[in-house]
Amino acid sequence: MGRRFSVFNLVSVALGIAFLYLPIVILVIYSFNASRLVTIWGGWSLRWYAALLDDSALREAATNSLLIAFASATAATVLGTLAALALSRLGRFRGRLPFVAMIYAPLVMPEVITGLSLLLFFVAINLDRGFLTITIAHTTLTLCFVAVLVQSRLAGFDRTLEEAAMDLGCPPLRTFLTVTVPVIAPAIAAGFLLAFSLSLDDLVIASFTTGPGATTLPIRIYSDVRLGVKPEINAVCTIFVAVIALVVIAASILTRRAERRQQISAC
Amino acid sequence: MRRGFTPWADPNAKPIVRFDAVSKRYANTVAIADLSLDIYEGEYFALLGPSGCGKTTLLRMLAGFEAPDRGRILLAGEDIVGVPPYRRPVNMMFQSYALFPHLSVFNNIAFGLKQDRMPKAEIAEQVGKMLQLVRLEGLADRKPHQLSGGERQRVALARSLAKRPKVLLLDEPLAALDRKLREETQFELMELQSRLGTTFVIVTHDQEEAMTVAHRMAVMNRGHIAQVDTPQQIYEQPNSRWVAEFVGDVNLIEGKLAASANGVVLEDAQGRRFRAGDGAQARPGAPAAFAVRPEKLKLALAPPPADTLNTISGRVVDIGYLGDVSVYKVRLDDGATMKASVTNATRLAERPIGWEDRVWLSFAPDAAVLLTA
């Protein structure tokens, strides 16, 4: 740890952070702009946040987004956890490799393709596009992230904990619920939060699978911005950034705690 | 060890655990080969052997985590093959302790009692007793990660004893402790075992540990039991070269048995003759070995009187100073080496025997064990 902060290090860290966060910082600052013109600074004000309260279309889109994020994250957490269990517990069953590949493929699949194929699928089975189809699509998208997180936690899970529980008279299902699930809970929770923020954030897949009455916040913002950037959009985006930042921070704290627990149970 | 506690010598005693012709294979290796073994109530029984000898498999079969391919396992007279681990009246203390990281010490110990739907007040009382037993009062609310290694070991022990199992299984319970703590804990376990009277079955690869704690031990090799007996019998009367070499240090003198009027005489390849006190049924001409423990060899700088039995001469090639004893490696004239250990009874005296010295080794006839297997 004896490495000193050289000028070079300092500059590269500053550049890196600027590259990542300068646009967001500008957006946040302009959300407090008093001026009606987005590009001209007119002093500090909260008027666009107040204006948001009157914008029912934006409010409705935000509610839709939160509901869809919650529903799809819940479904993805359950399915992803089950997939992770199958991958780490069933040993080398026939077809394990294709199963792994199929679980992880959506991680690298271009969203346009996922979106388009889901749209074709929903049309084919004659399912009306709307709230339900976006939720299903987001579950598809986020399930694999949950599976990856939970599986890495299960890989380090000490199976003797389960043996100890059974040895003490606990039947298998109760062992799973009272020992396995609590120990891997931080990973499951982190998976849920990640799925939640991914769903909140998605524009491409939502655009393909949306229908009347199910406009999500990203879709709303995108369509509004095409007609010119309104100051309210800056305000709504700032709130959005704050929510996602909180969720991501919570997820990383949970992951860290999970790792610490894992180290303890390993020693 | 309790004086006069020898249920294994009583033909009417009923074993609490009986392995009856048990076999188990993994893919293409034999883990347990047609093994039979009786363990009696109140015994502290050790399974000793090198890694991969099947000792852990045997223990896990008792716990119910492994099933034998063939044979029966009887617990208090009932066949428990096929009974799942959560319905067996035995408990196990795991090598890794396997404490539940999300539960407090109290809830770890109470875990098994809760499975039996014991009333809350009784659980609290029993957990309190267990904490007292392992001297951890006051730590009930800690989480496992807030405990030292020794404390975790005690929690694991308390948890496995809380349900008052018929048999307590211990899988290398002290392997993670440092030497000093391990020795202390060995004596505590013995004390605890004789106080509770519970049957303990311990798996260990540490022969000192097995010999210290156990009433009897089974020395295992490749899925077989090489010998079952008290530690003293196994050390002083090993039944094969393998057991003699695995438990403690030993010098093996290989040769052929020769005809003799009194005792057993062994003639080695150089024509030297050695005499041992017992081994009456030995057949002249058969290949055999004498096993002599290093501490039973006498080491001298001058040749002993001409009529001294069992004398060999050689040069000291190595001296290992271990504090309490020194081990001398002696190269015999035929190239073989023997080990002799000498207690360092005095503190300051200069050790008279040095490197390259010519020495004479001798042993009494009753110090040698005749081995034919």
Side-chain angles (χ1 to χ4, degrees):
Chain A
M1 287 292 146
R3 212 177 292 168
R4 283 185 306 128
F5 251 109
S6 68
V7 176
F8 177 76
N9 280 342
L10 221 54
V11 169
S12 32
V13 168
L15 279 177
I17 287 181
F19 192 80
L20 288 172
Y21 293 107
L22 204 55
I24 294 176
V25 170
I26 288 172
L27 175 124
V28 171
I29 290 173
Y30 270 101
S31 74
F32 296 104
N33 190 359
S35 162
R36 167 156 290 283
L37 294 162
V38 176
T39 48
I40 291 167
W41 183 252
W44 297 94
S45 158
L46 285 173
R47 64 184 278 208
W48 306 120
Y49 287 90
L52 272 186
L53 295 175
D54 298 330
D55 189 335
S56 63
L58 265 182
R59 271 214 322 274
E60 194 189 318
T63 315
N64 277 342
S65 265
L66 287 172
L67 283 176
I68 288 168
F70 185 80
S72 69
T74 306
T77 303
V78 172
L79 293 174
T81 302
L82 292 176
L85 277 167
L87 286 178
S88 64
R89 291 297 167 83
L90 291 184
R92 322 228 112 245
F93 58 91
R94 273 175 79 91
R96 184 179 187 276
L97 211 63
F99 184 60
V100 173
M102 273 152 54
I103 290 276
Y104 291 163
L107 281 173
V108 291
M109 186 87 76
E111 286 188 357
V112 179
I113 294 176
T114 311
L116 185 60
S117 54
L118 281 164
L119 175 63
L120 292 175
F121 173 72
F122 291 140
V123 170
I125 64 167
N126 205 13
L127 191 63
D128 286 337
R129 262 86 64 218
F131 191 89
L132 180 65
T133 49
I134 302 183
T135 305
I136 293 174
H138 281 179
T139 306
T140 314
L141 171 75
T142 55
L143 180 157
C144 53
F145 290 89
V146 178
V148 171
L149 269 172
V150 176
Q151 204 206 344
S152 75
R153 176 77 179 120
L154 279 171
F157 181 82
D158 180 9
R159 304 275 322 250
T160 55
L161 290 180
E162 290 175 349
E163 287 185 347
M166 285 198 258
D167 184 65
L168 291 164
C170 195
L173 182 63
R174 208 191 309 159
T175 294
F176 178 72
L177 294 176
T178 57
V179 174
T180 315
V181 169
V183 173
I184 64 170
I188 296 177
F192 175 86
L193 292 177
L194 186 62
F196 187 85
S197 66
L198 281 169
S199 163
L200 218 52
D201 165 71
D202 171 69
L203 170 66
V204 178
I205 292 175
S207 321
F208 275 104
T209 51
T210 188
T215 306
T216 65
L217 198 53
I219 296 175
R220 176 91 250 160
I221 292 169
Y222 187 69
S223 57
D224 280 0
V225 165
R226 272 187 303 185
L227 308 171
V229 180
K230 288 193 294 179
E232 291 100 320
I233 298 293
N234 286 343
V236 89
C237 287
T238 301
I239 294 173
F240 219 78
V241 166
V243 168
I244 293 214
L246 281 177
V247 169
V248 168
I249 289 168
S252 71
I253 288 174
L254 285 170
T255 315
R256 176 107 29 107
R257 185 180 299 171
E259 276 164 10
R260 193 142 34 93
R261 234 184 223 179
Q262 197 147 320
Q263 280 161 9
I264 289 152
S265 66
C267 67
Chain B
M1 197 200 289
R2 270 183 284 163
R3 212 171 269 276
F5 177 70
T6 55
W8 51 88
D10 177 3
N12 296 320
K14 286 251 184 300
I16 187 155
V17 174
R18 163 168 280 180
F19 287 94
D20 184 12
V22 169
S23 296
K24 169 90 184 169
R25 296 176 67 91
Y26 291 117
N28 39 28
T29 54
V30 177
I32 302 290
D34 194 28
L35 181 148
S36 294
L37 174 67
D38 286 347
I39 298 170
Y40 295 88
E41 182 145 25
E43 253 197 289
Y44 198 145
F45 193 93
L47 294 165
L48 177 71
S51 55
C53 70
K55 56 189 192 297
T56 303
T57 306
L58 214 53
L59 197 74
R60 291 173 60 81
M61 280 182 180
L62 261 183
F65 300 130
E66 310 274 354
D69 298 336
R70 272 203 313 275
R72 298 185 307 159
I73 302 171
L74 304 179
L75 182 72
E78 276 176 51
D79 193 348
I80 54 169
V81 172
V83 177
Y86 48 92
R87 291 215 194 94
R88 295 190 182 200
V90 300
N91 286 126
M92 179 142 154
M93 184 183 155
F94 292 82
Q95 182 174 6
S96 62
Y97 308 149
L99 298 180
F100 305 124
H102 57 297
L103 298 180
S104 66
V105 168
F106 182 96
N107 283 325
N108 262 283
I109 299 174
F111 190 91
L113 304 171
K114 285 182 182 163
Q115 306 307 321
D116 293 350
R117 310 227 183 284
M118 189 189 256
K120 270 213 166 103
E122 279 177 50
I123 290 180
E125 193 193 329
Q126 176 69 356
V127 173
K129 266 190 212 159
M130 287 297 131
L131 284 169
Q132 206 177 0
L133 193 71
V134 296
R135 294 187 281 111
L136 285 178
E137 305 101 322
L139 296 186
D141 298 329
R142 297 268 185 94
K143 287 281 183 71
H145 68 93
Q146 295 167 311
L147 302 175
S148 72
E151 287 165 346
R152 273 182 223 162
Q153 191 264 348
R154 285 157 189 278
V155 176
L157 181 65
R159 187 179 70 178
S160 58
L161 281 170
K163 293 184 79 172
R164 299 195 188 90
K166 280 194 177 141
V167 180
L168 179 70
L169 311 172
L170 303 114
D171 183 10
E172 307 259 7
L174 310 178
L177 303 181
D178 61 54
R179 193 189 158 96
K180 201 97 197 154
L181 192 56
R182 193 163 63 223
E183 282 174 7
E184 278 174 36
T185 315
Q186 280 168 9
F187 285 103
E188 281 177 16
L189 278 178
M190 287 164 70
E191 204 267 327
L192 200 67
Q193 194 270 339
S194 67
R195 191 142 49 97
L196 299 173
T198 309
T199 310
F200 278 27
V201 180
I202 184 172
V203 156
T204 179
H205 67 270
D206 180 345
Q207 44 175 289
E208 263 180 54
E209 183 171 304
M211 295 179 82
T212 307
V213 299
H215 294 125
R216 284 193 309 154
M217 56 200 236
V219 185
M220 292 186 65
N221 183 27
R222 294 194 200 158
H224 293 274
I225 289 183
Q227 189 172 1
V228 187
D229 217 322
T230 60
Q232 189 184 340
Q233 279 293 308
I234 283 181
Y235 187 77
E236 303 292 1
Q237 200 64 254
N239 64 2
S240 66
R241 292 177 179 87
W242 191 85
V243 172
E245 290 193 305
F246 183 74
V247 181
D249 258 336
V250 76
N251 297 297
L252 290 177
I253 304 168
E254 296 285 348
K256 276 193 167 63
L257 292 174
S260 162
N262 54 344
V264 187
V265 171
L266 183 91
E267 192 176 299
D268 73 4
Q270 276 72 40
R272 284 183 298 225
R273 291 167 81 89
F274 301 92
R275 187 180 292 276
D278 58 353
Q281 74 281 41
R283 194 160 44 81
F290 274 1
V292 189
R293 299 289 184 189
E295 74 279 5
K296 295 184 173 68
L297 278 173
K298 274 205 259 325
L299 191 64
L301 276 167
D307 60 346
T308 309
L309 289 168
N310 306 334
T311 306
I312 326 170
S313 152
R315 262 177 211 291
V316 174
V317 291
D318 212 348
I319 304 174
Y321 176 73
L322 303 178
D324 51 350
V325 294
S326 289
V327 178
Y328 295 83
K329 267 194 189 166
V330 178
R331 166 123 341 122
L332 306 183
D333 298 333
D334 62 6
T337 40
M338 291 186 89
K339 274 193 214 167
S341 64
V342 178
T343 308
N344 295 321
T346 56
R347 187 162 72 91
L348 296 172
E350 202 176 303
R351 316 275 167 234
I353 302 170
W355 271 266
E356 292 302 316
D357 281 348
R358 175 154 288 276
V359 290
W360 280 264
L361 298 164
S362 59
F363 58 91
D366 61 7
V369 181
L370 172 71
L371 299 176
T372 51

